[in-house]
mmCIF file of all heavy atoms in Angstrom:
data_model
loop_
_atom_site.group_PDB
_atom_site.id
_atom_site.type_symbol
_atom_site.label_atom_id
_atom_site.label_comp_id
_atom_site.label_asym_id
_atom_site.label_seq_id
_atom_site.Cartn_x
_atom_site.Cartn_y
_atom_site.Cartn_z
ATOM 1 N N ALA A 1 112.357 102.952 103.479
ATOM 2 C CA ALA A 1 111.345 103.394 104.423
ATOM 3 C C ALA A 1 111.564 104.842 104.746
ATOM 4 O O ALA A 1 112.713 105.220 105.045
ATOM 5 C CB ALA A 1 111.417 102.525 105.682
ATOM 6 N N GLN A 2 110.505 105.626 104.616
ATOM 7 C CA GLN A 2 110.672 107.111 104.736
ATOM 8 C C GLN A 2 109.795 107.526 105.909
ATOM 9 O O GLN A 2 108.629 107.221 105.961
ATOM 10 C CB GLN A 2 110.215 107.772 103.444
ATOM 11 C CG GLN A 2 110.354 109.221 103.429
ATOM 12 C CD GLN A 2 110.043 109.784 102.065
ATOM 13 O OE1 GLN A 2 109.242 109.210 101.354
ATOM 14 N NE2 GLN A 2 110.509 110.939 101.731
ATOM 15 N N TYR A 3 110.419 108.173 106.855
ATOM 16 C CA TYR A 3 109.670 108.654 108.062
ATOM 17 C C TYR A 3 109.588 110.197 108.047
ATOM 18 O O TYR A 3 110.580 110.899 108.256
ATOM 19 C CB TYR A 3 110.416 108.167 109.367
ATOM 20 C CG TYR A 3 110.605 106.702 109.393
ATOM 21 C CD1 TYR A 3 111.755 106.114 108.979
ATOM 22 C CD2 TYR A 3 109.555 105.866 109.813
ATOM 23 C CE1 TYR A 3 111.946 104.733 108.912
ATOM 24 C CE2 TYR A 3 109.688 104.505 109.782
ATOM 25 C CZ TYR A 3 110.894 103.937 109.379
ATOM 26 O OH TYR A 3 111.035 102.572 109.361
ATOM 27 N N GLU A 4 108.378 110.722 107.773
ATOM 28 C CA GLU A 4 108.129 112.124 107.614
ATOM 29 C C GLU A 4 108.549 112.974 108.891
ATOM 30 O O GLU A 4 109.162 113.967 108.796
ATOM 31 C CB GLU A 4 106.711 112.382 107.202
ATOM 32 C CG GLU A 4 106.306 111.730 105.869
ATOM 33 C CD GLU A 4 106.912 112.421 104.657
ATOM 34 O OE1 GLU A 4 107.234 113.637 104.777
ATOM 35 O OE2 GLU A 4 107.120 111.706 103.645
ATOM 36 N N ASP A 5 108.026 112.485 110.059
ATOM 37 C CA ASP A 5 108.196 113.272 111.239
ATOM 38 C C ASP A 5 109.616 113.344 111.679
ATOM 39 O O ASP A 5 110.067 114.325 112.273
ATOM 40 C CB ASP A 5 107.330 112.694 112.330
ATOM 41 C CG ASP A 5 107.643 111.241 112.646
ATOM 42 O OD1 ASP A 5 108.130 110.525 111.746
ATOM 43 O OD2 ASP A 5 107.335 110.776 113.788
ATOM 44 N N ARG A 6 110.482 112.348 111.381
ATOM 45 C CA ARG A 6 111.858 112.384 111.774
ATOM 46 C C ARG A 6 112.777 112.819 110.676
ATOM 47 O O ARG A 6 113.960 113.156 110.872
ATOM 48 C CB ARG A 6 112.366 110.999 112.198
ATOM 49 C CG ARG A 6 111.636 110.377 113.386
ATOM 50 C CD ARG A 6 112.145 109.125 113.774
ATOM 51 N NE ARG A 6 112.322 108.151 112.774
ATOM 52 C CZ ARG A 6 112.321 106.865 112.885
ATOM 53 N NH1 ARG A 6 112.228 106.327 114.106
ATOM 54 N NH2 ARG A 6 112.424 106.030 111.885
ATOM 55 N N GLY A 7 112.280 112.836 109.403
ATOM 56 C CA GLY A 7 113.124 113.190 108.259
ATOM 57 C C GLY A 7 114.105 112.154 107.939
ATOM 58 O O GLY A 7 115.203 112.439 107.416
ATOM 59 N N ASP A 8 113.847 110.945 108.326
ATOM 60 C CA ASP A 8 114.719 109.785 108.154
ATOM 61 C C ASP A 8 114.400 108.907 106.973
ATOM 62 O O ASP A 8 113.204 108.653 106.775
ATOM 63 C CB ASP A 8 114.769 108.961 109.470
ATOM 64 C CG ASP A 8 115.784 107.929 109.521
ATOM 65 O OD1 ASP A 8 116.779 108.043 108.803
ATOM 66 O OD2 ASP A 8 115.712 106.964 110.327
ATOM 67 N N VAL A 9 115.347 108.435 106.269
ATOM 68 C CA VAL A 9 115.116 107.490 105.159
ATOM 69 C C VAL A 9 116.111 106.335 105.315
ATOM 70 O O VAL A 9 117.302 106.499 105.526
ATOM 71 C CB VAL A 9 115.320 108.153 103.789
ATOM 72 C CG1 VAL A 9 115.156 107.152 102.698
ATOM 73 C CG2 VAL A 9 114.393 109.281 103.582
ATOM 74 N N THR A 10 115.559 105.110 105.333
ATOM 75 C CA THR A 10 116.363 103.893 105.482
ATOM 76 C C THR A 10 116.166 103.034 104.262
ATOM 77 O O THR A 10 115.034 102.499 104.063
ATOM 78 C CB THR A 10 115.994 103.152 106.741
ATOM 79 O OG1 THR A 10 116.134 104.011 107.820
ATOM 80 C CG2 THR A 10 116.931 101.962 106.960
ATOM 81 N N CYS A 11 117.178 102.887 103.477
ATOM 82 C CA CYS A 11 117.075 101.988 102.242
ATOM 83 C C CYS A 11 117.823 100.708 102.576
ATOM 84 O O CYS A 11 119.026 100.570 102.288
ATOM 85 C CB CYS A 11 117.695 102.770 101.055
ATOM 86 S SG CYS A 11 116.871 104.292 100.610
ATOM 87 N N ALA A 12 117.010 99.726 103.054
ATOM 88 C CA ALA A 12 117.623 98.490 103.403
ATOM 89 C C ALA A 12 116.720 97.310 103.189
ATOM 90 O O ALA A 12 116.769 96.295 103.888
ATOM 91 C CB ALA A 12 118.058 98.516 104.894
ATOM 92 N N TYR A 13 115.832 97.422 102.178
ATOM 93 C CA TYR A 13 114.817 96.372 101.985
ATOM 94 C C TYR A 13 114.789 95.878 100.619
ATOM 95 O O TYR A 13 114.750 96.614 99.589
ATOM 96 C CB TYR A 13 113.410 96.926 102.306
ATOM 97 C CG TYR A 13 113.421 97.555 103.793
ATOM 98 C CD1 TYR A 13 113.520 98.924 103.888
ATOM 99 C CD2 TYR A 13 113.468 96.760 104.876
ATOM 100 C CE1 TYR A 13 113.564 99.527 105.138
ATOM 101 C CE2 TYR A 13 113.471 97.319 106.140
ATOM 102 C CZ TYR A 13 113.541 98.734 106.233
ATOM 103 O OH TYR A 13 113.622 99.304 107.485
ATOM 104 N N ASP A 14 114.807 94.515 100.399
ATOM 105 C CA ASP A 14 114.767 93.890 99.136
ATOM 106 C C ASP A 14 113.336 93.813 98.537
ATOM 107 O O ASP A 14 113.149 93.895 97.327
ATOM 108 C CB ASP A 14 115.280 92.415 99.178
ATOM 109 C CG ASP A 14 116.818 92.401 99.400
ATOM 110 O OD1 ASP A 14 117.478 93.194 98.726
ATOM 111 O OD2 ASP A 14 117.261 91.589 100.111
ATOM 112 N N THR A 15 112.311 93.675 99.387
ATOM 113 C CA THR A 15 110.954 93.617 98.994
ATOM 114 C C THR A 15 110.177 94.740 99.597
ATOM 115 O O THR A 15 110.416 95.266 100.634
ATOM 116 C CB THR A 15 110.344 92.266 99.358
ATOM 117 O OG1 THR A 15 110.196 92.164 100.775
ATOM 118 C CG2 THR A 15 111.151 91.092 98.899
ATOM 119 N N PHE A 16 109.046 95.065 98.918
ATOM 120 C CA PHE A 16 108.175 96.079 99.362
ATOM 121 C C PHE A 16 107.500 95.653 100.675
ATOM 122 O O PHE A 16 107.235 96.437 101.596
ATOM 123 C CB PHE A 16 107.102 96.389 98.301
ATOM 124 C CG PHE A 16 106.260 97.607 98.581
ATOM 125 C CD1 PHE A 16 106.860 98.822 98.466
ATOM 126 C CD2 PHE A 16 104.931 97.531 98.965
ATOM 127 C CE1 PHE A 16 106.190 99.971 98.715
ATOM 128 C CE2 PHE A 16 104.207 98.696 99.191
ATOM 129 C CZ PHE A 16 104.833 99.930 99.112
ATOM 130 N N GLN A 17 107.208 94.398 100.770
ATOM 131 C CA GLN A 17 106.570 93.851 102.055
ATOM 132 C C GLN A 17 107.521 93.986 103.292
ATOM 133 O O GLN A 17 107.044 94.334 104.301
ATOM 134 C CB GLN A 17 106.113 92.422 101.904
ATOM 135 C CG GLN A 17 105.327 91.907 102.993
ATOM 136 C CD GLN A 17 103.988 92.657 103.173
ATOM 137 O OE1 GLN A 17 103.326 92.903 102.204
ATOM 138 N NE2 GLN A 17 103.688 93.107 104.411
ATOM 139 N N GLN A 18 108.792 93.743 103.117
ATOM 140 C CA GLN A 18 109.700 93.952 104.193
ATOM 141 C C GLN A 18 109.719 95.372 104.616
ATOM 142 O O GLN A 18 109.770 95.734 105.802
ATOM 143 C CB GLN A 18 111.182 93.645 103.749
ATOM 144 C CG GLN A 18 111.520 92.177 103.541
ATOM 145 C CD GLN A 18 112.909 91.977 103.003
ATOM 146 O OE1 GLN A 18 113.439 92.869 102.382
ATOM 147 N NE2 GLN A 18 113.445 90.802 103.214
ATOM 148 N N CYS A 19 109.682 96.308 103.657
ATOM 149 C CA CYS A 19 109.649 97.708 104.007
ATOM 150 C C CYS A 19 108.362 98.073 104.787
ATOM 151 O O CYS A 19 108.423 98.772 105.777
ATOM 152 C CB CYS A 19 109.754 98.549 102.699
ATOM 153 S SG CYS A 19 109.799 100.342 102.954
ATOM 154 N N LEU A 20 107.241 97.609 104.272
ATOM 155 C CA LEU A 20 105.971 97.890 104.935
ATOM 156 C C LEU A 20 105.904 97.370 106.324
ATOM 157 O O LEU A 20 105.392 97.994 107.281
ATOM 158 C CB LEU A 20 104.796 97.352 104.132
ATOM 159 C CG LEU A 20 104.374 98.038 102.874
ATOM 160 C CD1 LEU A 20 103.300 97.321 102.168
ATOM 161 C CD2 LEU A 20 103.953 99.476 103.168
ATOM 162 N N ASP A 21 106.423 96.162 106.513
ATOM 163 C CA ASP A 21 106.438 95.540 107.884
ATOM 164 C C ASP A 21 107.250 96.382 108.858
ATOM 165 O O ASP A 21 106.888 96.440 110.059
ATOM 166 C CB ASP A 21 106.994 94.119 107.836
ATOM 167 C CG ASP A 21 106.085 93.125 107.097
ATOM 168 O OD1 ASP A 21 104.943 93.494 106.892
ATOM 169 O OD2 ASP A 21 106.603 92.082 106.679
ATOM 170 N N THR A 22 108.247 97.012 108.376
ATOM 171 C CA THR A 22 109.123 97.888 109.229
ATOM 172 C C THR A 22 108.492 99.210 109.434
ATOM 173 O O THR A 22 108.573 99.797 110.557
ATOM 174 C CB THR A 22 110.536 97.976 108.704
ATOM 175 O OG1 THR A 22 111.005 96.656 108.521
ATOM 176 C CG2 THR A 22 111.402 98.773 109.604
ATOM 177 N N ALA A 23 108.040 99.836 108.358
ATOM 178 C CA ALA A 23 107.645 101.241 108.414
ATOM 179 C C ALA A 23 106.232 101.431 109.061
ATOM 180 O O ALA A 23 105.968 102.552 109.572
ATOM 181 C CB ALA A 23 107.622 101.789 107.020
ATOM 182 N N ARG A 24 105.415 100.494 108.973
ATOM 183 C CA ARG A 24 104.023 100.658 109.530
ATOM 184 C C ARG A 24 103.995 100.770 111.016
ATOM 185 O O ARG A 24 104.946 100.562 111.696
ATOM 186 C CB ARG A 24 103.180 99.414 109.120
ATOM 187 C CG ARG A 24 102.614 99.518 107.769
ATOM 188 C CD ARG A 24 101.566 98.436 107.620
ATOM 189 N NE ARG A 24 101.686 97.709 106.400
ATOM 190 C CZ ARG A 24 101.148 96.612 106.107
ATOM 191 N NH1 ARG A 24 100.376 96.027 106.987
ATOM 192 N NH2 ARG A 24 101.326 95.990 104.971
ATOM 193 N N GLY A 25 102.800 101.055 111.500
ATOM 194 C CA GLY A 25 102.611 101.126 112.964
ATOM 195 C C GLY A 25 103.008 102.489 113.599
ATOM 196 O O GLY A 25 102.910 103.453 113.010
ATOM 197 N N PRO A 26 103.490 102.367 114.799
ATOM 198 C CA PRO A 26 103.795 103.565 115.568
ATOM 199 C C PRO A 26 104.960 104.447 114.883
ATOM 200 O O PRO A 26 105.123 105.584 115.085
ATOM 201 C CB PRO A 26 104.294 103.136 116.898
ATOM 202 C CG PRO A 26 104.291 101.646 116.908
ATOM 203 C CD PRO A 26 103.739 101.215 115.552
ATOM 204 N N ALA A 27 105.786 103.748 114.023
ATOM 205 C CA ALA A 27 106.850 104.481 113.404
ATOM 206 C C ALA A 27 106.315 105.540 112.412
ATOM 207 O O ALA A 27 106.971 106.619 112.167
ATOM 208 C CB ALA A 27 107.764 103.511 112.622
ATOM 209 N N GLY A 28 105.121 105.206 111.851
ATOM 210 C CA GLY A 28 104.491 106.229 110.997
ATOM 211 C C GLY A 28 105.211 106.490 109.671
ATOM 212 O O GLY A 28 105.225 107.603 109.174
ATOM 213 N N GLY A 29 105.770 105.480 109.081
ATOM 214 C CA GLY A 29 106.578 105.606 107.850
ATOM 215 C C GLY A 29 105.843 105.118 106.667
ATOM 216 O O GLY A 29 104.774 104.562 106.749
ATOM 217 N N SER A 30 106.405 105.429 105.514
ATOM 218 C CA SER A 30 105.876 104.902 104.258
ATOM 219 C C SER A 30 107.025 104.390 103.436
ATOM 220 O O SER A 30 108.179 104.629 103.748
ATOM 221 C CB SER A 30 105.176 106.074 103.503
ATOM 222 O OG SER A 30 106.066 107.075 103.253
ATOM 223 N N CYS A 31 106.702 103.642 102.402
ATOM 224 C CA CYS A 31 107.714 103.009 101.597
ATOM 225 C C CYS A 31 107.806 103.613 100.187
ATOM 226 O O CYS A 31 106.761 103.882 99.628
ATOM 227 C CB CYS A 31 107.519 101.516 101.506
ATOM 228 S SG CYS A 31 107.717 100.729 103.032
ATOM 229 N N ILE A 32 109.034 103.748 99.707
ATOM 230 C CA ILE A 32 109.195 104.312 98.342
ATOM 231 C C ILE A 32 110.281 103.451 97.687
ATOM 232 O O ILE A 32 110.998 102.798 98.326
ATOM 233 C CB ILE A 32 109.694 105.779 98.347
ATOM 234 C CG1 ILE A 32 110.986 105.923 99.167
ATOM 235 C CG2 ILE A 32 108.595 106.667 98.887
ATOM 236 C CD1 ILE A 32 111.655 107.296 98.967
ATOM 237 N N GLU A 33 110.289 103.497 96.323
ATOM 238 C CA GLU A 33 111.351 102.737 95.658
ATOM 239 C C GLU A 33 112.608 103.612 95.658
ATOM 240 O O GLU A 33 112.585 104.813 95.488
ATOM 241 C CB GLU A 33 110.878 102.521 94.205
ATOM 242 C CG GLU A 33 111.820 101.512 93.472
ATOM 243 C CD GLU A 33 111.192 100.982 92.229
ATOM 244 O OE1 GLU A 33 110.131 101.280 91.862
ATOM 245 O OE2 GLU A 33 111.893 100.094 91.675
ATOM 246 N N ASN A 34 113.733 102.955 95.899
ATOM 247 C CA ASN A 34 114.982 103.620 95.966
ATOM 248 C C ASN A 34 115.413 104.215 94.616
ATOM 249 O O ASN A 34 115.521 103.486 93.631
ATOM 250 C CB ASN A 34 116.115 102.641 96.448
ATOM 251 C CG ASN A 34 117.446 103.238 96.669
ATOM 252 O OD1 ASN A 34 117.666 104.372 96.329
ATOM 253 N ND2 ASN A 34 118.333 102.525 97.330
ATOM 254 N N PRO A 35 115.640 105.512 94.514
ATOM 255 C CA PRO A 35 115.927 106.115 93.214
ATOM 256 C C PRO A 35 117.328 105.751 92.718
ATOM 257 O O PRO A 35 117.543 105.856 91.539
ATOM 258 C CB PRO A 35 115.837 107.688 93.487
ATOM 259 C CG PRO A 35 116.012 107.734 94.982
ATOM 260 C CD PRO A 35 115.426 106.481 95.589
ATOM 261 N N PHE A 36 118.146 105.198 93.581
ATOM 262 C CA PHE A 36 119.515 104.781 93.151
ATOM 263 C C PHE A 36 119.524 103.280 92.817
ATOM 264 O O PHE A 36 120.626 102.824 92.484
ATOM 265 C CB PHE A 36 120.538 105.139 94.261
ATOM 266 C CG PHE A 36 120.561 106.611 94.544
ATOM 267 C CD1 PHE A 36 120.013 107.081 95.766
ATOM 268 C CD2 PHE A 36 121.124 107.433 93.689
ATOM 269 C CE1 PHE A 36 120.012 108.458 95.967
ATOM 270 C CE2 PHE A 36 121.211 108.804 93.940
ATOM 271 C CZ PHE A 36 120.559 109.357 95.071
#
């Protein structure tokens, strides 16, 4: 989950849906595939 306004990236999700559920809403984040 990548948060543009905070410059924060949290790589802790096994599925894309888990990531979306966390990043959406007031957090204003988006999901990307972990390059590592």
